[in-house]
Amino acid sequence: MSCLLVVHSDIGIKKSTNQDSVLAVKADTDMGEISLVAVCDGMGGFAKGELASATVIRALNDWFANRLTYLVGSGFSDDDVRREWTDLLKNQNEIIKAYGAGNGISLGTTIVAALFYGNRYIICNLGDSRAYRLGNGIELITKDHSYVQRELDAGRMTEAEAEVSPQRSVILQCIGASDDIFPDFFSGTTSPGDSFVLCSDGFRHKIGMNEIYKYLNTGMTPDVVRMKNNMEYLTELNKYRAETDNISVAMARIVS
């Protein structure tokens, strides 16, 4: 399996700092090419959100550079990645919480991350950043850990109400500001031509899934240049529609 990887992050039209962090790395191994993309959204309203997101991205990058070598040598499965990432994120939760307590501040971050190896993908999600799969259509893979998602699941809120709810940015879990965390995992097989789009909530508040598919499907993004251009176009469209958050997106295209 081989992937094309592209990321884009923008401070947006209102905030003074970009609290999002993104990652895209790949390596040639004895198991073939392995790729990793991730988006972390430092929590708006919390001090040092950019520190929290960058800390988690750095830990994930270190895992890829160091721990993955050991896993490749012994062979690994989705369950191994699930255990490794759960331990990593729980450890980061304690580190960031301790930093916040020691400095008298609150900080936290979401994460959505995807690992591609062989013909497999495994995606981890905590918070309200999202992962979509684009093939013949578009599929939302992840499920938000948010107040409005909980209300939707309970039948106390409609989709239309959720879209305009003043509490739509309230999340129920994040790394660094939760006593304990319970990340979700999703896994499956990939096919050549599939694209996986990971994004912070700022990327998808003002545009719909149909627009994400229209501009990021395989036919519209045949190479990394078009992938990057169209990701930037959708970012600018969000800003034109008055999205006030930071805007970040990562994309992985399965090419073989």
Side-chain angles (χ1 to χ4, degrees), residues 10-12 15 17-20 200 202-203 244-248:
D10 193 286
I11 193 171
K15 296 197 172 182
T17 59
N18 189 348
Q19 297 188 326
D20 293 350
S200 62
F203 182 77
T244 58
D245 204 352
N246 305 140
I247 302 168
S248 296

Side-chain angles (χ1 to χ4, degrees), residues 61-71:
N61 187 54
D62 288 346
W63 175 89
F64 188 85
N66 301 306
R67 181 65 179 169
L68 185 62
T69 302
Y70 168 80
L71 293 178

Side-chain angles (χ1 to χ4, degrees), residues 111-186:
I111 185 172
V112 60
L115 187 74
F116 302 93
Y117 68 99
N119 68 338
R120 301 287 302 171
Y121 73 84
I122 181 165
I123 292 174
C124 172
N125 179 61
L126 190 96
D128 63 352
S129 294
R130 289 183 174 180
Y132 300 89
R133 181 176 184 166
L134 284 63
N136 292 327
I138 182 169
E139 169 196 5
L140 173 59
I141 297 175
T142 54
K143 190 171 186 178
D144 297 345
H145 300 134
S146 65
Y147 170 82
V148 295
Q149 186 64 59
R150 185 184 68 184
E151 297 303 290
L152 284 167
D153 292 345
R156 294 188 293 262
M157 185 178 287
T158 66
E159 290 284 355
E161 290 170 336
E163 289 180 4
V164 298
S165 171
Q167 296 173 301
R168 69 176 184 173
S169 295
V170 175
I171 64 172
L172 304 181
Q173 290 192 76
C174 76
I175 303 166
S178 298
D179 290 336
D180 199 1
I181 56 172
F182 304 93
D184 287 336
F185 289 88
F186 310 85

Side-chain angles (χ1 to χ4, degrees), residues 25-235:
V25 289
K26 65 171 66 176
D28 291 321
T29 76
D30 292 341
M31 292 177 61
E33 183 180 290
I34 300 179
S35 298
L36 170 65
V37 291
V39 174
C40 285
D41 181 356
M43 299 315 300
F46 289 166
K48 300 291 185 181
E50 65 274 18
L51 176 61
S53 66
T55 297
V56 174
I57 286 290
R58 187 179 305 112
L60 196 59
N61 187 54
D62 288 346
W63 175 89
F64 188 85
N66 301 306
R67 181 65 179 169
L68 185 62
T69 302
Y70 168 80
L71 293 178
V72 168
S74 59
F76 68 91
S77 66
D78 294 351
D79 285 340
D80 295 319
V81 176
R82 187 178 293 109
R83 285 191 293 269
E84 294 265 333
W85 282 8
T86 297
D87 289 346
L88 182 152
L89 296 183
K90 286 182 176 289
N91 183 53
Q92 291 301 303
N93 190 49
E94 295 305 314
I95 289 172
I96 295 172
K97 280 198 305 179
Y99 176 86
N103 289 273
I105 59 175
S106 295
L107 69 166
T109 183
T110 70
I111 185 172
V112 60
L115 187 74
F116 302 93
Y117 68 99
N119 68 338
R120 301 287 302 171
Y121 73 84
I122 181 165
I123 292 174
C124 172
N125 179 61
L126 190 96
D128 63 352
S129 294
R130 289 183 174 180
Y132 300 89
R133 181 176 184 166
L134 284 63
N136 292 327
I138 182 169
E139 169 196 5
L140 173 59
I141 297 175
T142 54
K143 190 171 186 178
D144 297 345
H145 300 134
S146 65
Y147 170 82
V148 295
Q149 186 64 59
R150 185 184 68 184
E151 297 303 290
L152 284 167
D153 292 345
R156 294 188 293 262
M157 185 178 287
T158 66
E159 290 284 355
E161 290 170 336
E163 289 180 4
V164 298
S165 171
Q167 296 173 301
R168 69 176 184 173
S169 295
V170 175
I171 64 172
L172 304 181
Q173 290 192 76
C174 76
I175 303 166
S178 298
D179 290 336
D180 199 1
I181 56 172
F182 304 93
D184 287 336
F185 289 88
F186 310 85
S187 59
T189 58
T190 62
S191 298
D194 284 348
S195 292
F196 292 81
V197 176
L198 283 61
C199 64
S200 62
D201 63 332
F203 182 77
R204 47 89 179 172
H205 277 158
K206 299 296 185 180
I207 61 175
M209 287 175 60
N210 60 323
E211 292 176 302
I212 294 174
Y213 182 76
K214 177 180 178 180
Y215 290 98
L216 298 182
N217 70 75
T218 301
M220 289 293 291
T221 54
D223 52 45
V224 293
V225 173
R226 288 290 297 277
M227 289 166 70
K228 181 73 169 179
N229 288 346
N230 285 12
M231 289 161 64
E232 291 176 352
Y233 171 81
L234 288 174
T235 298

